[in-house]
Amino acid sequence: MSDVEVKRTESLTRQEAARRLAALAEAMENGGGHVELALGVSKLKIHVPDEIRCEMEVEVDGDEVELEVELKWSTSPEPEHKPARGRAKRAAPAST
């Protein structure tokens, strides 16, 4: 169960949906870590850290297609030392 959940469903044109996604992307890139979401007549301002997890899912069920983009992050303080990400590269053998 979530501590807080705000949900709004509405019909948009493809262009309106694109503008909303572009505005979200712009805010995430240039908003200094803060994003303001319009939810009807209300606005929700949230902090987005530098590192987030992203999951994309496409589901086709008969004549209906669902594209889901999920962004997740932790609100707990980040550790002082982050472990290295990805695989370490092996150094090439030294030539003599």
Side-chain angles (χ1 to χ4, degrees), residues 14-86:
R14 185 177 63 245
Q15 292 80 11
E16 289 168 330
R19 281 193 293 276
R20 293 239 182 124
L21 290 171
L24 175 60
E26 173 71 21
M28 289 182 69
E29 186 170 7
N30 300 316
H34 290 84
V35 173
E36 191 169 279
L37 302 171
L39 298 167
V41 295
S42 301
K43 290 186 180 184
L44 177 66
K45 188 172 186 177
I46 55 175
H47 172 73
V48 181
D50 291 340
E51 295 285 328
I52 63 174
R53 293 182 307 280
C54 179
E55 178 182 325
M56 294 184 73
E57 179 181 332
V58 176
E59 184 178 327
V60 179
D61 186 11
D63 63 350
E64 186 171 271
V65 178
E66 179 179 335
L67 168 62
E68 190 173 310
V69 179
E70 183 174 279
L71 305 174
K72 282 187 175 184
W73 57 88
S74 174
T75 58
S76 64
E78 293 185 32
E80 289 183 27
H81 180 271
K82 290 184 183 179
R85 294 178 59 189

